[in-house]
Amino acid sequence: MKIYTKFGDGGQTYLASGIKVSKTDPRVDLYGSCDELNSTIGLALSFAKDLTLEPIFLDHIKNIQSFLFEIGSELAGYVPRDSKEGTVVHASDVESLEKEIDRLMEVLPEIKFFILPGGSSMASALHIGRTICRRLERNLLVYIESGGEIHSDLRIYLNRLSDYLFAAARYVNFSIGEEETIWKSRTKSTK
Protein backbone atom coordinates (compact mmCIF):
# COMPACT_ATOMS: atom_id res chain seq x y z
CA MET A 1 0.00 0.00 0.00
CA LYS A 2 1.36 3.39 -0.98
CA ILE A 3 1.28 6.16 1.61
CA TYR A 4 0.57 8.80 -1.01
CA THR A 5 -2.75 9.11 -2.80
CA LYS A 6 -2.11 12.31 -4.79
CA PHE A 7 -5.63 13.39 -3.79
CA GLY A 8 -4.25 16.22 -1.67
CA ASP A 9 -2.25 17.61 -4.59
CA GLY A 10 -5.26 19.78 -5.43
CA GLY A 11 -5.35 21.26 -1.92
CA GLN A 12 -8.27 19.21 -0.66
CA THR A 13 -8.71 16.38 1.81
CA TYR A 14 -11.45 14.37 3.46
CA LEU A 15 -12.51 14.72 7.05
CA ALA A 16 -13.12 11.54 9.03
CA SER A 17 -16.83 12.12 8.44
CA GLY A 18 -16.27 11.71 4.69
CA ILE A 19 -16.80 15.40 3.88
CA LYS A 20 -14.41 16.82 1.29
CA VAL A 21 -12.82 20.10 2.43
CA SER A 22 -9.97 22.45 1.58
CA LYS A 23 -6.75 21.85 3.47
CA THR A 24 -7.26 25.36 4.85
CA ASP A 25 -10.51 24.31 6.54
CA PRO A 26 -10.48 25.10 10.27
CA ARG A 27 -11.08 21.42 11.11
CA VAL A 28 -7.91 20.45 9.26
CA ASP A 29 -6.01 23.07 11.23
CA LEU A 30 -7.45 21.72 14.49
CA TYR A 31 -6.49 18.11 13.94
CA GLY A 32 -3.17 19.21 12.45
CA SER A 33 -2.37 21.12 15.63
CA CYS A 34 -3.41 18.12 17.69
CA ASP A 35 -1.01 15.98 15.65
CA GLU A 36 1.73 18.58 16.21
CA LEU A 37 1.07 18.43 19.95
CA ASN A 38 1.12 14.64 19.87
CA SER A 39 4.41 14.64 17.97
CA THR A 40 5.97 17.07 20.44
CA ILE A 41 4.96 14.85 23.35
CA GLY A 42 6.59 11.97 21.45
CA LEU A 43 9.75 14.06 21.21
CA ALA A 44 9.62 14.74 24.95
CA LEU A 45 9.26 11.03 25.65
CA SER A 46 12.26 10.26 23.45
CA PHE A 47 14.41 12.26 25.87
CA ALA A 48 13.06 10.27 28.84
CA LYS A 49 15.11 7.18 28.05
CA ASP A 50 18.24 9.03 29.21
CA LEU A 51 16.61 10.10 32.49
CA THR A 52 15.56 8.38 35.68
CA LEU A 53 11.89 9.27 36.11
CA GLU A 54 9.16 7.40 37.94
CA PRO A 55 7.28 4.92 35.71
CA ILE A 56 3.85 6.20 36.78
CA PHE A 57 4.78 9.65 35.49
CA LEU A 58 5.99 8.33 32.15
CA ASP A 59 2.95 6.06 31.80
CA HIS A 60 0.68 9.05 32.33
CA ILE A 61 2.39 10.96 29.51
CA LYS A 62 2.25 7.92 27.21
CA ASN A 63 -1.48 7.56 27.90
CA ILE A 64 -2.01 11.23 27.08
CA GLN A 65 -0.17 10.79 23.80
CA SER A 66 -2.35 7.83 22.86
CA PHE A 67 -5.50 9.71 23.89
CA LEU A 68 -4.49 12.69 21.73
CA PHE A 69 -4.70 10.38 18.72
CA GLU A 70 -8.38 9.80 19.55
CA ILE A 71 -8.95 13.51 20.13
CA GLY A 72 -7.34 14.27 16.76
CA SER A 73 -9.76 11.83 15.12
CA GLU A 74 -12.68 13.59 16.76
CA LEU A 75 -11.37 16.98 15.64
CA ALA A 76 -11.17 15.51 12.13
CA GLY A 77 -14.89 14.80 12.25
CA TYR A 78 -15.04 11.28 13.66
CA VAL A 79 -17.99 10.85 16.02
CA PRO A 80 -17.58 7.93 18.42
CA ARG A 81 -20.58 5.58 18.17
CA ASP A 82 -20.19 4.10 21.63
CA SER A 83 -20.25 7.47 23.38
CA LYS A 84 -23.55 8.89 24.61
CA GLU A 85 -21.90 12.29 24.95
CA GLY A 86 -20.65 12.42 21.36
CA THR A 87 -17.03 12.84 22.41
CA VAL A 88 -14.13 10.60 23.34
CA VAL A 89 -13.43 12.90 26.29
CA HIS A 90 -15.22 12.23 29.56
CA ALA A 91 -15.32 14.23 32.77
CA SER A 92 -13.17 11.48 34.32
CA ASP A 93 -10.40 12.30 31.82
CA VAL A 94 -10.32 15.88 33.08
CA GLU A 95 -10.38 14.67 36.69
CA SER A 96 -7.47 12.33 35.97
CA LEU A 97 -5.40 15.24 34.67
CA GLU A 98 -6.30 17.34 37.69
CA LYS A 99 -5.29 14.56 40.10
CA GLU A 100 -1.96 14.13 38.33
CA ILE A 101 -1.33 17.90 38.34
CA ASP A 102 -2.06 17.97 42.08
CA ARG A 103 0.25 14.98 42.67
CA LEU A 104 3.11 16.64 40.80
CA MET A 105 2.58 20.04 42.42
CA GLU A 106 2.77 18.47 45.91
CA VAL A 107 6.46 17.74 45.43
CA LEU A 108 7.42 20.84 43.43
CA PRO A 109 8.72 23.98 45.10
CA GLU A 110 6.25 26.84 45.20
CA ILE A 111 6.55 29.28 42.31
CA LYS A 112 7.29 32.76 43.61
CA PHE A 113 8.43 34.22 40.29
CA PHE A 114 7.78 33.66 36.61
CA ILE A 115 9.95 30.91 35.19
CA LEU A 116 11.26 30.72 31.65
CA PRO A 117 10.57 27.59 29.59
CA GLY A 118 13.63 25.40 29.41
CA GLY A 119 15.90 23.26 31.51
CA SER A 120 16.38 19.71 30.32
CA SER A 121 15.58 18.60 26.78
CA MET A 122 12.51 16.71 27.96
CA ALA A 123 11.18 19.64 29.99
CA SER A 124 11.81 22.00 27.08
CA ALA A 125 9.85 19.72 24.73
CA LEU A 126 6.99 19.57 27.25
CA HIS A 127 6.98 23.38 27.38
CA ILE A 128 6.75 23.48 23.59
CA GLY A 129 3.87 21.01 23.84
CA ARG A 130 2.19 23.32 26.36
CA THR A 131 2.35 26.25 23.92
CA ILE A 132 1.01 24.12 21.06
CA CYS A 133 -1.81 22.96 23.32
CA ARG A 134 -2.66 26.60 24.15
CA ARG A 135 -2.72 27.44 20.43
CA LEU A 136 -4.95 24.46 19.73
CA GLU A 137 -7.29 25.62 22.48
CA ARG A 138 -7.41 29.18 21.05
CA ASN A 139 -8.10 27.87 17.55
CA LEU A 140 -10.78 25.61 18.95
CA LEU A 141 -12.48 28.62 20.52
CA VAL A 142 -12.32 30.55 17.24
CA TYR A 143 -13.93 27.56 15.53
CA ILE A 144 -16.68 27.38 18.17
CA GLU A 145 -17.29 31.14 18.10
CA SER A 146 -17.71 30.98 14.31
CA GLY A 147 -20.48 28.40 14.68
CA GLY A 148 -18.55 25.14 14.76
CA GLU A 149 -19.53 22.44 17.19
CA ILE A 150 -17.03 20.88 19.57
CA HIS A 151 -18.06 19.16 22.78
CA SER A 152 -17.27 21.27 25.86
CA ASP A 153 -15.51 18.35 27.61
CA LEU A 154 -12.93 18.27 24.81
CA ARG A 155 -12.30 22.01 25.19
CA ILE A 156 -11.99 21.67 28.97
CA TYR A 157 -9.60 18.72 28.60
CA LEU A 158 -7.27 20.72 26.36
CA ASN A 159 -7.30 23.62 28.81
CA ARG A 160 -6.33 21.29 31.64
CA LEU A 161 -3.77 19.49 29.47
CA SER A 162 -1.78 22.68 28.97
CA ASP A 163 -1.71 23.12 32.76
CA TYR A 164 -0.56 19.53 33.11
CA LEU A 165 2.25 19.99 30.57
CA PHE A 166 3.52 23.01 32.53
CA ALA A 167 3.54 20.98 35.76
CA ALA A 168 5.11 18.00 33.98
CA ALA A 169 7.93 20.13 32.57
CA ARG A 170 8.67 21.52 36.02
CA TYR A 171 8.47 18.02 37.50
CA VAL A 172 11.03 16.65 35.04
CA ASN A 173 13.50 19.44 35.85
CA PHE A 174 12.93 19.00 39.58
CA SER A 175 13.32 15.20 39.40
CA ILE A 176 16.68 15.37 37.68
CA GLY A 177 18.01 18.34 39.66
CA GLU A 178 17.85 20.82 36.79
CA GLU A 179 17.33 24.37 38.02
CA GLU A 180 14.55 26.44 36.57
CA THR A 181 15.43 29.80 35.10
CA ILE A 182 13.74 32.68 36.87
CA TRP A 183 12.55 35.47 34.59
CA LYS A 184 14.24 38.78 35.41
CA SER A 185 12.70 42.03 34.27
CA ARG A 186 15.09 44.24 32.32
CA THR A 187 13.48 47.33 33.78
CA LYS A 188 13.89 46.15 37.37
CA SER A 189 17.45 44.90 36.91
CA THR A 190 18.70 48.24 35.58
CA LYS A 191 17.53 50.22 38.59
Side-chain angles (χ1 to χ4, degrees):
M1 178 179 158
K2 293 183 179 183
I3 63 165
Y4 58 89
T5 63
K6 300 184 182 181
F7 176 75
D9 293 352
Q12 298 195 328
T13 191
Y14 285 100
L15 295 178
S17 59
I19 298 171
K20 184 178 174 181
V21 296
S22 168
K23 287 188 174 184
T24 61
D25 188 274
R27 287 301 280 237
V28 176
D29 192 42
L30 291 174
Y31 72 75
S33 292
C34 189
D35 186 35
E36 184 181 354
L37 172 57
N38 201 333
S39 298
T40 304
I41 290 174
L43 175 65
L45 284 168
S46 75
F47 294 123
K49 59 186 162 200
D50 298 327
L51 305 175
T52 303
L53 296 167
E54 62 176 348
I56 190 171
F57 172 72
L58 294 174
D59 287 344
H60 201 83
I61 294 176
K62 290 173 187 174
N63 290 335
I64 288 169
Q65 186 183 31
S66 182
F67 191 43
L68 280 172
F69 197 83
E70 294 178 50
I71 290 173
S73 295
E74 185 172 325
L75 292 173
Y78 171 74
V79 179
R81 293 183 190 142
D82 59 344
S83 173
K84 294 177 185 174
E85 294 85 21
T87 181
V88 297
V89 180
H90 305 287
S92 60
D93 297 314
V94 175
E95 289 170 16
S96 173
L97 275 179
E98 290 172 347
K99 284 180 184 174
E100 184 64 359
I101 291 168
D102 292 343
R103 186 182 78 81
L104 299 179
M105 294 302 287
E106 281 179 11
V107 299
L108 292 173
E110 180 184 356
I111 299 177
K112 297 182 181 177
F113 305 97
F114 288 110
I115 61 167
L116 297 176
S120 67
S121 298
M122 182 175 184
S124 297
L126 289 169
H127 275 298
I128 292 169
R130 172 185 56 82
T131 63
I132 295 168
C133 191
R134 288 284 190 211
R135 175 172 26 95
L136 173 56
E137 183 187 8
R138 289 190 307 270
N139 291 345
L140 194 70
L141 290 171
V142 169
Y143 179 75
I144 292 167
E145 290 170 2
S146 67
E149 292 185 25
I150 298 287
H151 197 280
S152 63
D153 285 346
L154 194 157
R155 180 181 46 78
I156 293 167
Y157 180 84
L158 290 175
N159 181 267
R160 212 64 82 250
L161 179 58
S162 60
D163 296 333
Y164 167 78
L165 292 170
F166 177 77
R170 291 194 64 221
Y171 182 78
V172 168
N173 282 337
F174 178 78
S175 296
I176 64 171
E178 182 81 33
E179 269 193 51
E180 294 179 306
T181 304
I182 304 297
W183 170 73
K184 295 179 180 147
S185 168
R186 292 186 324 162
T187 55
K188 290 183 181 178
S189 63
T190 59
K191 292 183 180 180

